[in-house]
Amino acid sequence: MFYPKDFIETAEGLIFAVVAQGLEQGKVLCFLRYVREASGWKKYDTDQANALLAQHHPDYLHYSSVLDAHLHAVAVIRIVRHHQPQHRLRHITRSKSPDTVEQDLLQLCHLFRKQGLDLMKIGVTGSLLIGVQQHSSDIDLVCYGRNVFHEARAITRELIRLGHLQDLNGDDWRQSYQRRSCALSFDEYVWHERRKSNKGIINGRKFDLNFIENEAKPELVNFQKGESVTLQCEVTDDTRAFDYPAEFKVAHKYIQRVVSFTATYTGQALRGETVEVSGRLEQEEQGLKRIVVGSSREAHGEYIKVIQPPDA
């Protein structure tokens, strides 16, 4: 089984990050992230990845009729190595000579374990997953299962309160904001992010918590894209706020759900809050309507933001 945050490697020296569970037409939906060059593995951004594939490997470019989106896809038979976050973390824990990034990872895992977190349900992704981390690399943990993820968030809050971990400082938030390139102001971005409790600092190094649902996914439904819309609505159910895509059930006269394929807006709102949403209207055959934030990978001009928090 292929899960989001897994990496898959092909014989051409390409490593893709998996973005969706399961297969579509026998292919893994993914996005190119690393390319093997003479000097080693090089990380590619979105534009570089699309340009490389268009010129040299157009067969990996893919239109998903289910997601109604252009991304990348690799047939299972083309995969030469499947990099799995849980396996990689187990390997690092057995290392006789961990580097400084791995040492911080191991210390973080030790703190979590002391607080009762089941590390067998934790993995590590990003550069650490393929061993190309640099001295300044972040740590990207993966939590398999909703309960494990929310437990890790609660432990992070407690460890920051106790001083064993630190919250991000102003420079950290500024760097995070610049990487996101989102439609929110800096203050709006930080307000929303602080309360998610899915980031922290250990020994000056940032870490993130990522949630992966390891239960069977409901059958995917085809949606047809419509016009861009901006509206306000109340969140009535935030159970799947950290899923991929993030989903918020809302009370509105013609919209039933807001979904986001963009990490910036994962966990963005809580039940009972009023949000302003800007995205693309979509409708499925039975008439269900939703707004999608992240109709393009960067979601330029699209957002979810709380305009009436409960304590306002």
Side-chain angles (χ1 to χ4, degrees):
M1 177 65 74
F2 298 93
Y3 291 102
K5 305 296 181 181
D6 290 3
F7 284 0
I8 53 176
E9 185 176 337
T10 70
E12 300 95 338
L14 307 175
I15 291 181
F16 298 78
V18 179
V19 301
Q21 183 177 330
L23 304 176
E24 182 177 306
Q25 301 171 8
K27 296 181 177 181
V28 179
L29 299 181
C30 52
F31 214 88
L32 178 63
R33 275 293 165 255
Y34 291 90
V35 176
R36 188 172 58 227
E37 299 184 349
S39 58
W41 291 103
K42 180 181 178 182
K43 189 172 183 178
Y44 272 45
D45 64 23
T46 299
D47 291 339
Q48 290 174 315
N50 283 328
L52 176 76
L53 294 186
Q55 182 174 0
H56 299 290
H57 308 284
D59 48 317
Y60 289 136
L61 296 173
H62 180 76
Y63 170 74
S64 170
S65 59
V66 174
L67 298 180
D68 192 13
H70 293 275
L71 66 166
H72 307 157
V74 177
V76 174
I77 59 172
R78 306 275 300 269
I79 298 170
V80 298
R81 188 173 179 186
H82 181 192
H83 299 269
Q84 297 173 276
Q86 287 172 290
H87 293 173
R88 176 60 177 160
L89 181 56
R90 302 291 89 74
H91 176 78
I92 293 173
T93 60
R94 295 191 297 267
S95 174
K96 295 294 192 296
S97 55
D99 65 17
T100 55
V101 184
E102 294 168 340
Q103 288 173 21
D104 289 343
L105 167 64
L106 294 173
Q107 183 181 341
L108 180 60
C109 288
H110 175 70
L111 290 170
F112 279 138
R113 183 170 52 236
K114 284 182 64 177
Q115 294 289 324
L117 192 67
D118 183 0
L119 294 185
M120 295 304 294
K121 297 179 180 178
I122 301 294
V124 64
T125 189
S127 58
L128 276 163
L129 177 54
I130 55 173
V132 297
Q133 67 272 13
Q134 300 175 358
H135 182 73
S136 60
S137 293
D138 294 344
I139 295 170
D140 293 304
L141 288 181
V142 183
C143 304
Y144 292 89
R146 198 176 307 279
N147 292 339
V148 174
F149 173 69
H150 291 308
E151 184 181 359
R153 293 173 62 219
I155 291 173
T156 297
R157 282 194 297 270
E158 178 64 8
L159 290 173
I160 289 175
R161 186 187 71 82
L162 293 172
H164 300 308
L165 299 174
Q166 291 73 48
D167 196 1
L168 277 66
N169 63 30
D171 289 340
D172 297 325
W173 284 120
R174 182 67 65 180
Q175 292 174 11
S176 178
Y177 177 70
Q178 290 171 347
R179 283 197 300 269
R180 289 297 185 192
S181 185
C182 66
L184 303 182
S185 71
F186 175 69
D187 288 341
E188 288 173 335
Y189 172 77
V190 173
W191 183 87
H192 285 86
E193 289 297 309
R194 277 189 185 278
R195 65 191 195 142
K196 296 178 185 179
S197 299
N198 61 352
K199 296 180 179 63
I201 302 291
I202 182 166
N203 300 329
R205 189 180 311 282
K206 188 167 79 73
F207 69 88
D208 288 271
L209 304 175
N210 300 275
F211 164 59
I212 301 297
E213 178 58 83
N214 53 5
E215 298 176 356
K217 288 279 189 179
E219 185 175 349
L220 294 175
V221 178
N222 288 319
F223 282 83
Q224 184 174 6
K225 285 182 178 175
E227 71 273 19
S228 296
V229 296
T230 299
L231 53 80
Q232 297 177 1
C233 52
E234 180 183 337
V235 175
T236 59
D237 188 341
D238 61 3
T239 303
R240 297 187 174 275
F242 286 94
D243 285 47
Y244 182 84
E247 177 184 283
F248 306 88
K249 293 181 181 179
V250 298
H252 190 272
K253 60 184 178 182
Y254 65 91
I255 300 294
Q256 289 78 38
R257 289 178 175 83
V258 173
V259 299
S260 175
F261 289 91
T262 302
T264 302
Y265 305 111
T266 295
Q268 192 76 345
L270 304 174
R271 182 167 61 89
E273 293 181 334
T274 299
V275 295
E276 182 172 289
V277 182
S278 183
R280 288 284 293 274
L281 186 65
E282 292 189 348
Q283 180 171 333
E284 51 103 343
E285 292 178 354
Q286 280 68 43
L288 174 68
K289 292 184 179 180
R290 67 181 189 177
I291 297 177
V292 173
V293 177
S295 54
S296 65
R297 187 171 177 85
E298 279 74 22
H300 295 301
E302 301 178 355
Y303 60 84
I304 302 170
K305 64 180 178 181
V306 176
I307 58 174
Q308 183 187 326
D311 56 353

